[in-house]
């Protein structure tokens, strides 16, 4: 194809739409496995009780550009030297240009016990970084009566670095609105090994009545494996001014 877009999220969808206006039909392929497109910037307001997660969802086929060919599959192997991508189903797609718009993968499993906590009834833990868990944030906030309300930030790059703070501020506003703010000790904890250097106080502060967790995140595994394309952190090595690969001029 002329242009291959890997990923049908907001970045891949919007850029694909612009490219589809200047490319002929079938010159643009969008590689995306999901049937659902979620507008993730809305997840913060879902976690704050302003919207439902269904408000952030649309059918993938309704948002992808009509002039593009949608392949319902995902990238399994990137080969920039041969201008090709191998999909999870084993197909090979050759391209003239490629736009890598895979987004980040959320590594909830890197925090022991987190997935279990997120799936507990009335567990008091939520996360706005997945459609599965963002409504749990407001459930925890709505059920909050008193105690510590903890908001975390991991030691990795994340989608929208401001979002972990936004939900903290929304929670503060909500608790004031319902008359519970004086009962809440709101803590925003960034990516240090412990909250304080003294273990006694660190352990005490990790007791909570509600918690919003921003999980560690990383580049998708197939992308990290392509050392020709990524930097030491596992992300596509690009010129920040142009978003063009520093190694392959047809990769963006």
């Amino acid at each position: 194809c002329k242009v291959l877009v890997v990923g049908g999220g907001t970045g891949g969808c919007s850029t694909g739409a612009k490219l589809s206006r200047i490319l002929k039909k079938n010159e643009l392929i969008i590689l995306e496995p999901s049937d659902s497109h979620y507008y993730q910037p809305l997840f913060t307001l879902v976690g704050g009780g302003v919207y439902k997660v269904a408000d952030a969802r649309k059918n993938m086929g309704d948002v992808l550009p009509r002039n593009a060919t949608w392949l319902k599959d995902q990238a399994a192997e990137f080969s920039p030297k041969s201008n090709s991508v191998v999909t999870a189903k084993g197909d090979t797609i050759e391209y003239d240009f490629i736009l890598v718009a895979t987004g980040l993968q959320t590594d909830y499993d890197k925090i022991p016990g987190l997935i279990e906590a997120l799936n507990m009834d009335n567990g008091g833990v939520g996360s706005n970084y997945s459609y599965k868990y963002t409504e749990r944030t407001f459930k925890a906030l709505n059920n909050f009566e008193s105690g510590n309300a903890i908001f975390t930030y991991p030691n990795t790059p994340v989608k929208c670095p401001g979002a972990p703070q936004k939900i903290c501020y929304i929670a503060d506003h909500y608790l004031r609105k319902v008359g519970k703010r004086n009962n809440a000790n709101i803590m925003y904890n960034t990516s240090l090994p412990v909250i304080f250097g003294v273990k006694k106080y660190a352990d005490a502060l990790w007791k909570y009545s509600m918690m919003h967790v921003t999980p560690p995140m990383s580049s998708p595994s197939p992308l990290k494996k392509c050392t020709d394309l990524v930097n030491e952190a596992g992300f596509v090595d690009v010129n920040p001014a142009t978003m063009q690969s520093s190694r392959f001029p047809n990769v963006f």
Side-chain angles (χ1 to χ4, degrees), residues 86-218:
V86 177
T87 73
K89 294 179 181 178
D91 296 323
T92 298
I93 306 171
E94 296 182 345
Y95 58 80
D96 292 337
F97 295 88
I98 184 173
L99 170 66
V100 181
T102 55
L104 297 181
Q105 63 183 17
T106 48
D107 298 323
Y108 286 100
D109 58 325
K110 289 187 177 179
I111 300 178
L114 177 57
I115 294 177
E116 292 80 2
L118 285 167
N119 287 285
M120 288 175 56
D121 291 336
N122 300 316
V125 181
S127 175
N128 292 348
Y129 280 88
S130 169
Y131 70 89
K132 298 178 182 178
Y133 306 128
T134 184
E135 287 185 342
R136 290 184 61 90
T137 300
F138 183 67
K139 183 178 180 180
L141 184 59
N142 190 48
N143 291 339
F144 180 89
E145 293 296 334
S146 64
N148 292 329
I150 297 176
F151 300 81
T152 72
Y153 189 99
N155 62 348
T156 66
V158 301
K159 308 176 187 182
C160 187
Q165 288 191 44
K166 292 175 189 175
I167 188 58
C168 184
Y169 304 145
I170 290 173
D172 179 275
H173 172 77
Y174 177 80
L175 293 174
R176 291 177 189 276
K177 181 179 177 180
V178 298
K180 297 179 181 179
R181 181 61 183 89
N182 290 339
N183 300 330
N185 180 27
I186 295 179
M187 295 182 289
Y188 180 75
N189 295 315
T190 58
S191 52
L192 297 175
V194 293
I195 300 173
F196 292 113
V198 181
K199 188 176 187 301
K200 172 183 175 182
Y201 298 113
D203 290 346
L205 284 174
W206 276 112
K207 296 177 181 178
Y208 63 87
S209 297
M210 84 151 285
M211 179 185 292
H212 172 267
V213 178
T214 302
M217 302 181 200
S218 62

